[in-house]
Amino acid sequence: MTTPVTAAPRPAGLPDTIRHWIGGALVGSADGGTFDVADPVSNVPYARAAAGGPADIDRAVSAARAAFGAWADLSNRDRADVLVRVADGIEARHEQLAEFESFDSGLPIRQARGQAHRAAENFRYFADVIVALGEESFRQGREQFSYVVRSPVGVAGLITPWNTPFMLESWKLAPALAAGCTVVLKPAEWTPLSASLWPGILAGAGVPAGVVNIVHGTGDHAGQALVDHAGVPLISFTGSTDTGRHIIRSSAQHLKTTSMELGGKSPVVVFADADLDAALDSVLFGVFSLNGERCTAGSRVLVERPVYDEFARRLAERAARIRVGPPSDPATEVGALVHPEHYARVLDYVELGREEGRLLAGGGRPAHLTEGNYLQPTVFADVSREARIFQEEIFGPVVALAPFGTETEAVELANATPYGLAAYVWTTDLTRAHRIAHAVESGMVWVNSHNVRDLRTPFGGVKASGVGREGGSHSIGFYTETKIVHIALATPRTPRFGTEGTL
């Protein structure tokens, strides 16, 4: 007898079809292609999405180019006013947005609500940035005055991931629009639902038709067409390191400007003098929130030997008590992983971890959840630096622990992977905190804190974790070109070639 599939609660207003948004109109694919979209609790399709390809990308780029001049010519204040109205529109739909996000991605609903508010804040923040941002000027005595002119690059190609999709779309859309660019957005094909809310939000805020265009589809079809299009001079991508490498290679043909926020295997370094209670809270939240599907997750926990056994024991005890359940349940702390393919990949790492480490917690499906992409928070101890679960990004609720003896060993272990996105340091020794923060190879370091981000700060990694920085004025710099204009204030003293006594 077949056990019936348990369906996830369907949010109100769930569409049957998710279409592209091109030139201010909802449209299907040029070739009529579609693909199924399923929720991660039942893994049963709930909608069909338009499957974009080169013809759809070309239509979207044409619409974006046609809208570019008028949008770029607006004053910074006028564009900022539009962005503030977008933020208002997001907040007005925050509950529906959170329900869509949770249903589509498996993110616990109470965490999805936080993502909705963060998306609105991204638009408010970049509205403030573009109004306050000045341009440089330089005076060379009484002879010359020089000033910088900043202008939008043109059509920005944005390719976003499936984890916290709406918030990460806002993270790219807001600065691109603030800078005066028009946009073609390619959302992740596994989680396109919340992107279906953008047309209503943007149109309601007065964003002109064609300024933002959305083309759904797979990365190797719609995404590749966007990267290859000669009319898109800039690509911002968040996703896997392998895909990022491929995009950079493809972008080289047209010498495109690229920003790549890629994978991570971030270390958490815990010294014996640290506030262990605070460090424990931070580690648990950092690796198990968002279902562990976050690039900055502290998935390698390095603990000084005098407190290693105690910390590992307490971490495992707490992990075993984390509430795993339906994403729609407000009590749920870890929901369902996004897609069966990804779920299978994470489970493969768990099986590998049984060989490479000592399993302290989790390692399988919760007994009360017989269907859906669920995994207990999983803790492995005594993991060597050569282990794959120590070296490779798992992107799920799985953490690897290893001991260290000296500060030098801690830094060596922290740097012993190809990645370098984030790092976390726990110690009450301030001078040591500075030493470790400077020595760790990562784009971002938090000392005695989890991932608390200030939107003014640069975001990005080193090594295999990415190329470039976004955030604050760095984002505006990415979406604009700078030109230096030199003005003579007096007759220049130019050597007179072709006359006697030139030199």
Side-chain angles (χ1 to χ4, degrees):
M1 180 176 179
T2 303
T3 302
V5 174
T6 302
R10 295 171 66 90
L14 197 67
D16 295 323
T17 303
I18 300 171
R19 292 178 288 175
H20 310 309
W21 195 48
I22 298 175
L26 292 170
V27 297
S29 294
D31 63 2
T34 62
F35 62 93
D36 286 333
V37 184
D39 73 89
V41 170
S42 70
N43 289 318
V44 172
Y46 66 84
R48 301 283 295 172
D56 306 293
I57 291 292
D58 191 57
R59 281 194 296 166
V61 173
S62 296
R65 288 173 68 117
F68 174 68
W71 181 250
D73 286 345
L74 287 178
S75 70
N76 288 351
R77 170 60 70 186
D78 286 343
R79 285 201 302 275
D81 288 345
V82 175
L83 264 63
V84 169
R85 293 198 295 271
V86 172
D88 291 341
I90 292 171
E91 290 183 336
R93 295 167 173 81
H94 79 275
E95 188 61 30
Q96 183 187 31
L97 198 164
E99 290 176 358
F100 275 22
E101 198 84 310
S102 178
F103 177 80
D104 200 29
S105 70
L107 189 68
I109 184 64
R110 65 180 181 180
Q111 295 172 37
R113 290 188 177 110
Q115 297 299 313
H117 288 297
R118 185 66 164 195
E121 179 59 24
N122 282 333
F123 277 88
R124 294 196 192 283
Y125 171 74
F126 281 106
D128 292 341
V129 167
I130 200 62
V131 170
L133 190 66
E135 293 174 331
E136 298 173 288
S137 62
F138 310 87
R139 181 185 293 273
Q140 295 87 50
R142 297 184 178 181
E143 298 179 354
Q144 185 169 276
F145 178 77
S146 308
Y147 62 92
V148 172
V149 175
R150 193 183 295 275
S151 57
V153 169
V155 178
L158 312 180
I159 303 175
T160 52
W162 46 257
N163 62 320
T164 62
F166 191 90
M167 192 279 290
L168 288 174
E169 289 156 8
S170 76
W171 167 242
K172 297 181 188 294
L173 282 168
L177 296 177
C181 291
T182 53
V183 166
V184 177
L185 168 67
K186 206 297 282 184
E189 59 266 31
W190 284 354
T191 54
L193 179 59
S194 59
S196 69
L197 296 176
W198 280 119
I201 292 169
L202 295 169
V207 176
V211 169
V212 177
N213 304 274
I214 302 172
V215 178
H216 296 282
T218 62
D220 58 359
H221 203 44
Q224 187 67 57
L226 182 58
V227 171
D228 289 342
H229 201 290
V232 180
L234 175 150
I235 297 290
S236 176
F237 170 75
T238 299
S240 74
T241 297
D242 285 345
T243 303
R245 289 191 180 104
H246 175 78
I247 289 173
I248 290 174
R249 284 193 295 267
S250 298
S251 297
Q253 178 183 358
H254 297 294
L255 296 177
K256 298 189 179 197
T257 300
T258 60
S259 175
M260 300 284 117
E261 196 269 284
L262 307 177
K265 192 69 176 175
S266 300
V268 184
V269 183
V270 181
F271 286 92
D273 69 338
D275 180 336
L276 296 185
D277 290 332
L280 187 65
D281 288 343
S282 179
V283 167
L284 285 156
F285 179 81
V287 74
F288 296 131
S289 62
L290 308 184
N291 299 343
E293 297 165 328
R294 59 187 305 165
C295 56
T296 54
S299 56
R300 292 183 297 135
V301 180
L302 315 175
V303 185
E304 196 169 11
R305 280 195 174 85
V307 296
Y308 175 76
D309 289 338
E310 176 194 355
F311 195 87
R313 175 184 57 78
R314 293 178 62 191
L315 179 61
E317 290 173 353
R318 287 276 297 277
R321 294 199 298 269
I322 288 175
R323 297 186 184 93
V324 183
S328 59
D329 184 346
T332 292
E333 294 170 309
V334 171
L337 299 190
V338 66
H339 190 275
E341 286 182 27
H342 181 64
Y343 182 53
R345 178 180 178 275
V346 174
L347 290 180
D348 285 345
Y349 275 110
V350 171
E351 291 308 305
L352 185 63
R354 296 178 187 276
E355 303 170 8
E356 295 184 330
R358 180 164 56 95
L359 180 65
L360 297 185
R365 173 187 292 278
H368 66 289
L369 297 167
T370 59
E371 297 165 351
N373 307 328
Y374 293 105
L375 175 64
Q376 296 167 310
T378 299
V379 179
F380 289 105
D382 308 340
V383 180
S384 73
R385 73 173 70 195
E386 294 80 18
R388 286 181 59 192
I389 64 167
F390 188 94
Q391 289 289 332
E392 299 175 15
E393 185 176 42
I394 299 174
F395 221 66
V398 181
V399 64
L401 276 70
F404 67 85
T406 65
E407 183 178 314
T408 298
E409 185 183 5
V411 172
E412 289 175 349
L413 284 171
N415 293 340
T417 75
Y419 297 101
L421 186 58
Y424 308 86
V425 182
W426 286 87
T427 178
T428 54
D429 184 332
L430 182 60
T431 57
R432 176 163 60 194
H434 283 290
R435 286 196 303 270
I436 300 295
H438 291 200
V440 170
E441 296 168 347
S442 67
M444 300 170 288
V445 181
W446 280 268
V447 176
N448 296 333
S449 173
H450 61 275
N451 183 346
V452 178
R453 281 215 56 237
D454 185 322
L455 290 176
R456 295 171 295 180
T457 60
F459 187 97
V462 299
K463 302 194 296 187
S465 288
V467 177
R469 294 292 183 273
E470 296 187 51
S473 61
H474 297 269
S475 288
I476 303 301
F478 174 64
Y479 289 105
T480 56
E481 295 283 8
T482 56
K483 179 187 295 182
I484 182 72
V485 179
H486 302 284
I487 304 294
L489 301 178
T491 302
R493 297 190 297 273
T494 307
R496 300 185 67 207
F497 277 32
T499 65
E500 294 183 6
T502 297
L503 301 178

Short mmCIF file of all heavy atoms in Angstrom, two decimals, residues 194-215:
data_model
loop_
_atom_site.label_atom_id
_atom_site.label_comp_id
_atom_site.label_asym_id
_atom_site.label_seq_id
_atom_site.Cartn_x
_atom_site.Cartn_y
_atom_site.Cartn_z
N SER A 194 8.64 33.45 -5.25
CA SER A 194 8.59 34.80 -4.69
C SER A 194 8.94 35.86 -5.73
O SER A 194 8.46 37.01 -5.64
CB SER A 194 9.53 34.92 -3.48
OG SER A 194 10.86 34.63 -3.83
N ALA A 195 9.71 35.50 -6.76
CA ALA A 195 10.01 36.46 -7.83
C ALA A 195 8.75 36.86 -8.59
O ALA A 195 8.73 37.92 -9.22
CB ALA A 195 11.04 35.87 -8.79
N SER A 196 7.71 36.03 -8.51
CA SER A 196 6.47 36.37 -9.20
C SER A 196 5.77 37.57 -8.55
O SER A 196 4.83 38.13 -9.14
CB SER A 196 5.51 35.16 -9.21
OG SER A 196 5.03 34.86 -7.91
N LEU A 197 6.20 37.97 -7.37
CA LEU A 197 5.64 39.15 -6.71
C LEU A 197 6.29 40.45 -7.17
O LEU A 197 5.72 41.53 -6.98
CB LEU A 197 5.78 39.03 -5.19
CG LEU A 197 5.02 37.87 -4.54
CD1 LEU A 197 5.34 37.80 -3.05
CD2 LEU A 197 3.52 38.02 -4.75
N TRP A 198 7.48 40.37 -7.77
CA TRP A 198 8.18 41.59 -8.17
C TRP A 198 7.38 42.44 -9.17
O TRP A 198 7.35 43.68 -9.01
CB TRP A 198 9.55 41.26 -8.77
CG TRP A 198 10.63 40.96 -7.78
CD1 TRP A 198 11.33 39.80 -7.65
CD2 TRP A 198 11.16 41.85 -6.77
NE1 TRP A 198 12.25 39.90 -6.64
CE2 TRP A 198 12.17 41.14 -6.09
CE3 TRP A 198 10.86 43.15 -6.39
CZ2 TRP A 198 12.90 41.71 -5.04
CZ3 TRP A 198 11.58 43.72 -5.34
CH2 TRP A 198 12.58 43.01 -4.69
N PRO A 199 6.76 41.88 -10.20
CA PRO A 199 6.04 42.75 -11.15
C PRO A 199 5.02 43.66 -10.47
O PRO A 199 4.96 44.87 -10.76
CB PRO A 199 5.39 41.75 -12.10
CG PRO A 199 6.32 40.59 -12.11
CD PRO A 199 6.78 40.48 -10.69
N GLY A 200 4.20 43.12 -9.58
CA GLY A 200 3.22 43.95 -8.89
C GLY A 200 3.85 44.99 -7.99
O GLY A 200 3.41 46.14 -7.93
N ILE A 201 4.93 44.61 -7.29
CA ILE A 201 5.60 45.54 -6.39
C ILE A 201 6.25 46.67 -7.18
O ILE A 201 6.09 47.86 -6.85
CB ILE A 201 6.66 44.80 -5.55
CG1 ILE A 201 5.98 43.84 -4.56
CG2 ILE A 201 7.56 45.79 -4.80
CD1 ILE A 201 6.93 42.88 -3.88
N LEU A 202 6.98 46.32 -8.23
CA LEU A 202 7.72 47.33 -8.99
C LEU A 202 6.78 48.24 -9.77
O LEU A 202 6.96 49.47 -9.78
CB LEU A 202 8.71 46.65 -9.92
CG LEU A 202 9.83 45.86 -9.20
CD1 LEU A 202 10.61 45.00 -10.19
CD2 LEU A 202 10.79 46.79 -8.47
N ALA A 203 5.79 47.66 -10.42
CA ALA A 203 4.84 48.49 -11.17
C ALA A 203 4.07 49.41 -10.23
O ALA A 203 3.83 50.59 -10.52
CB ALA A 203 3.88 47.61 -11.97
N GLY A 204 3.68 48.88 -9.07
CA GLY A 204 2.96 49.68 -8.10
C GLY A 204 3.78 50.84 -7.55
O GLY A 204 3.23 51.86 -7.13
N ALA A 205 5.10 50.69 -7.56
CA ALA A 205 5.99 51.74 -7.07
C ALA A 205 6.33 52.76 -8.15
O ALA A 205 7.04 53.73 -7.86
CB ALA A 205 7.27 51.12 -6.53
N GLY A 206 5.86 52.52 -9.36
CA GLY A 206 6.14 53.46 -10.44
C GLY A 206 7.43 53.21 -11.18
O GLY A 206 7.94 54.10 -11.88
N VAL A 207 7.98 52.00 -11.07
CA VAL A 207 9.16 51.66 -11.88
C VAL A 207 8.72 51.54 -13.33
O VAL A 207 7.83 50.74 -13.64
CB VAL A 207 9.80 50.34 -11.40
CG1 VAL A 207 10.97 49.96 -12.29
CG2 VAL A 207 10.25 50.47 -9.94
N PRO A 208 9.30 52.32 -14.25
CA PRO A 208 8.83 52.31 -15.64
C PRO A 208 8.99 50.94 -16.30
O PRO A 208 9.89 50.16 -15.94
CB PRO A 208 9.71 53.35 -16.32
CG PRO A 208 10.17 54.24 -15.22
CD PRO A 208 10.33 53.36 -14.02
N ALA A 209 8.11 50.65 -17.24
CA ALA A 209 8.18 49.39 -17.98
C ALA A 209 9.55 49.25 -18.63
O ALA A 209 10.07 50.20 -19.22
CB ALA A 209 7.09 49.35 -19.04
N GLY A 210 10.12 48.06 -18.52
CA GLY A 210 11.41 47.77 -19.15
C GLY A 210 12.61 48.03 -18.26
O GLY A 210 13.71 47.57 -18.58
N VAL A 211 12.43 48.76 -17.18
CA VAL A 211 13.57 49.02 -16.29
C VAL A 211 14.00 47.74 -15.59
O VAL A 211 15.20 47.47 -15.44
CB VAL A 211 13.22 50.13 -15.27
CG1 VAL A 211 14.27 50.23 -14.18
CG2 VAL A 211 13.09 51.47 -15.98
N VAL A 212 13.04 46.92 -15.17
CA VAL A 212 13.35 45.60 -14.62
C VAL A 212 12.63 44.56 -15.46
O VAL A 212 11.42 44.67 -15.70
CB VAL A 212 12.91 45.47 -13.15
CG1 VAL A 212 13.17 44.05 -12.64
CG2 VAL A 212 13.65 46.47 -12.28
N ASN A 213 13.37 43.55 -15.89
CA ASN A 213 12.81 42.45 -16.67
C ASN A 213 13.24 41.15 -16.00
O ASN A 213 14.37 41.03 -15.51
CB ASN A 213 13.34 42.50 -18.10
CG ASN A 213 13.05 43.84 -18.77
OD1 ASN A 213 12.00 44.06 -19.33
ND2 ASN A 213 14.02 44.76 -18.68
N ILE A 214 12.34 40.19 -15.95
CA ILE A 214 12.59 38.92 -15.28
C ILE A 214 12.37 37.78 -16.25
O ILE A 214 11.30 37.67 -16.86
CB ILE A 214 11.65 38.75 -14.06
CG1 ILE A 214 11.85 39.92 -13.08
CG2 ILE A 214 11.92 37.42 -13.36
CD1 ILE A 214 10.84 39.94 -11.95
N VAL A 215 13.41 36.97 -16.42
CA VAL A 215 13.32 35.80 -17.30
C VAL A 215 13.64 34.56 -16.48
O VAL A 215 14.73 34.43 -15.91
CB VAL A 215 14.30 35.91 -18.49
CG1 VAL A 215 14.23 34.65 -19.36
CG2 VAL A 215 13.99 37.15 -19.33
#
